[in-house]
Amino acid sequence: MTGKQQKRLHACAVKRILDRQTGELVGWLYEWNTGELVPRWKAKAQTDIVYD
């Protein structure tokens, strides 16, 4: 798409998102075909996290 932003068509999980204190899996980080990285949370969004 010349001169325009690409549409999000597909994404792939690239990292797991873990709670920093408990190590519990709280979500996944997805990379879209546009190169955009977007978190997908299991429940509500978390702030004290680490990526694995």
Side-chain angles (χ1 to χ4, degrees):
M1 298 177 77
T2 308
K4 293 184 178 181
Q5 274 190 317
Q6 289 182 328
K7 280 186 164 184
R8 284 185 185 175
L9 299 175
H10 53 85
C12 181
V14 293
K15 293 190 182 245
R16 296 183 310 156
I17 305 173
L18 307 174
D19 181 280
R20 184 182 306 271
Q21 300 298 318
T22 66
E24 178 184 353
L25 178 68
V26 294
W28 300 267
L29 187 64
Y30 279 83
E31 183 174 7
W32 285 88
N33 62 295
T34 61
E36 185 178 3
L37 295 171
V38 179
R40 173 72 171 126
W41 304 101
K42 287 178 70 176
K44 65 178 185 167
Q46 304 282 320
T47 55
D48 193 17
I49 59 167
V50 292
Y51 296 99
D52 176 41

